[in-house]
């Protein structure tokens, strides 16, 4: 039972999300709700499973980090994300609306089959997110924001939402706003979210999931552990948001099927990660 659960959790979460979205699209139901509901279900199930079958027992014990993670989660979903979703289309419309540039930039191939549109939107969004994430690791001014996410010395489901609001806004600016500029339809963007959210909801889960070949496409929790490695040279890898396609392209993909276990997670000791860590996290 446990093995079937560990091997099937992510594939079933992905199938449930895509099936929910496809059905809602077919019958004209609320697409946003059809995307959010399976994602929340995957997160809650992962949090419950962490208690029964943790990847590391030590990661299941609070380290004074729960309050920070809960506050960050609340801020993200109650204020930051809704504000960005409201402001971004207005800003794009204000900047480009009614200008010749708007027509020139509306180049997204809306005539393609819907599934191909979703795949293209996913690749474009992940490209921007990849470089935003990578720059947050290589540029000291940006690392100052991103260090908060890496400060935790354990991985569990809520870690996914430990992020500085400005860090989240910059990710949104490079990953999502370009899709608005080139005219990606809203339902195509929601199709991308249906594909990516189940991965993100389980990306930091303290679960010994066995994702198999999915590890070479998606930024699963098995793959993402290496990104949080406290060993310099290991942690600067796997920058993809939900996909690792661009990590494969740019040579930053790291995954060891036979030794998929970083010794420690957190900030690099004595490196730029501690030098540029905000005072609140030292």
């Amino acid at each position: 039972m446990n093995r079937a659960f560990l091997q099937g959790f992510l594939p079933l979460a992905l199938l449930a999300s895509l099936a929910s979205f496809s059905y809602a699209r077919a019958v004209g139901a609320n697409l946003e709700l059809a995307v959010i509901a399976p994602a929340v279900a995957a997160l809650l199930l992962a949090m419950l499973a962490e208690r029964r079958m943790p990847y590391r027992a030590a990661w299941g014990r609070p380290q004074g980090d729960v309050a920070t993670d809960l506050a960050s989660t609340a801020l993200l979903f109650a204020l930051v994300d809704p504000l960005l979703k409201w402001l971004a289309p207005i800003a794009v419309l204000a900047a480009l609306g009614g200008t010749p540039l708007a027509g020139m930039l509306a180049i997204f191939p809306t005539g393609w089959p819907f599934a191909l549109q979703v795949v293209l939107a996913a690749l474009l969004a992940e490209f921007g997110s990849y470089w935003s994430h990578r720059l947050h690791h290589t540029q000291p001014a940006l690392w100052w924001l991103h260090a908060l996410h890496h400060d935790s010395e354990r991985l569990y489901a809520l870690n996914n939402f430990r992020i500085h609001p400005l860090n989240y806004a910059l990710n949104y600016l490079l990953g999502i706003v370009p899709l608005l500029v080139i005219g990606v339809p809203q339902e195509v963007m929601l199709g991308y979210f249906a594909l990516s959210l189940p991965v993100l909801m389980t990306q930091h889960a303290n679960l010994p999931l066995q994702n198999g070949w999915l590890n070479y496409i998606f930024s699963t929790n098995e793959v993402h552990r290496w990104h949080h490695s406290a060993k310099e040279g290991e942690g600067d890898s796997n920058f993809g948001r939900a996909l690792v396609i661009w990590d494969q392209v740019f040579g930053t993909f790291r995954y060891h099927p036979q030794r998929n276990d970083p010794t420690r997670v957190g900030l690099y000791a004595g490196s730029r990660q501690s030098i540029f860590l905000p005072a609140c996290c030292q």
Side-chain angles (χ1 to χ4, degrees):
M1 172 61 181
N2 282 358
R3 183 174 182 179
F5 175 86
L6 296 174
Q7 292 178 338
F9 186 95
L10 183 57
L12 288 176
L14 284 167
L15 285 173
S17 181
L18 292 172
S20 173
F21 173 79
S22 298
Y23 177 77
R25 182 168 177 262
V27 302
N30 187 313
L31 289 179
E32 191 166 358
L33 180 61
V35 171
I36 292 174
V40 172
L43 174 63
L44 294 177
L45 185 57
M47 292 174 69
L48 288 173
E50 284 179 324
R51 297 176 176 272
R52 296 290 302 274
M53 50 183 79
Y55 175 69
R56 287 190 187 177
W59 287 355
R61 295 189 286 271
Q63 300 176 2
D65 50 4
V66 176
T68 298
D69 292 337
L70 287 175
S72 181
T73 302
L75 180 64
L76 183 64
F77 288 113
L79 180 62
V80 179
D81 188 67
L83 188 61
L84 287 171
K85 287 179 178 176
W86 178 70
L87 283 177
I90 295 175
V92 171
L93 186 62
L96 302 176
T99 69
L101 188 59
M104 292 173 60
L105 292 175
I107 59 175
F108 190 78
T110 55
W112 285 13
F114 184 76
L116 289 181
Q117 291 186 54
V118 171
V119 170
L120 178 59
L123 291 175
L124 294 174
E126 290 286 331
F127 181 82
S129 297
Y130 170 89
W131 282 107
S132 177
H133 196 174
R134 188 167 177 175
L135 288 170
H136 273 85
H137 275 253
T138 58
Q139 302 302 311
L142 295 178
W143 173 253
W144 189 91
L145 300 174
H146 192 56
L148 175 65
H149 182 68
H150 283 266
D151 184 45
S152 178
E153 295 185 350
R154 66 176 180 135
L155 294 177
Y156 74 116
L158 281 183
N159 281 149
N160 186 50
F161 311 113
R162 176 193 282 233
I163 184 169
H164 194 289
L166 288 178
N167 186 171
Y168 189 84
L170 289 170
N171 291 345
Y172 197 91
L173 178 64
L174 291 181
I176 301 301
V177 171
L179 301 188
L180 300 176
V181 172
I182 64 172
V184 177
Q186 184 182 27
E187 67 171 0
V188 173
M189 294 180 66
L190 288 170
Y192 162 58
F193 295 146
L195 178 68
S196 60
L197 285 183
V199 179
L200 297 175
M201 293 302 104
T202 58
Q203 193 173 69
H204 296 78
N206 182 24
L207 289 171
L209 299 182
Q210 299 168 15
N211 301 299
W213 61 270
L214 293 177
N215 289 315
Y216 296 92
I217 300 175
F218 295 101
S219 185
T220 67
N221 70 331
E222 286 186 90
V223 169
H224 197 67
R225 281 186 210 122
W226 289 105
H227 179 70
H228 281 266
S229 172
K231 182 178 180 181
E232 194 162 7
E234 289 183 350
D236 290 323
S237 61
N238 302 338
F239 296 108
R241 179 175 180 264
L243 304 177
V244 289
I245 303 299
W246 295 113
D247 286 288
Q248 302 271 15
V249 171
F250 294 112
T252 52
F253 178 70
R254 177 181 290 272
Y255 172 58
H256 303 289
Q258 306 304 320
R259 189 184 68 84
N260 196 37
D261 192 14
T263 304
R264 189 172 68 85
V265 299
L267 298 168
Y268 300 161
S271 74
R272 60 175 173 78
Q273 290 205 8
S274 56
I275 293 172
F276 295 109
L277 183 62
C280 66
C281 302
Q282 298 223 19

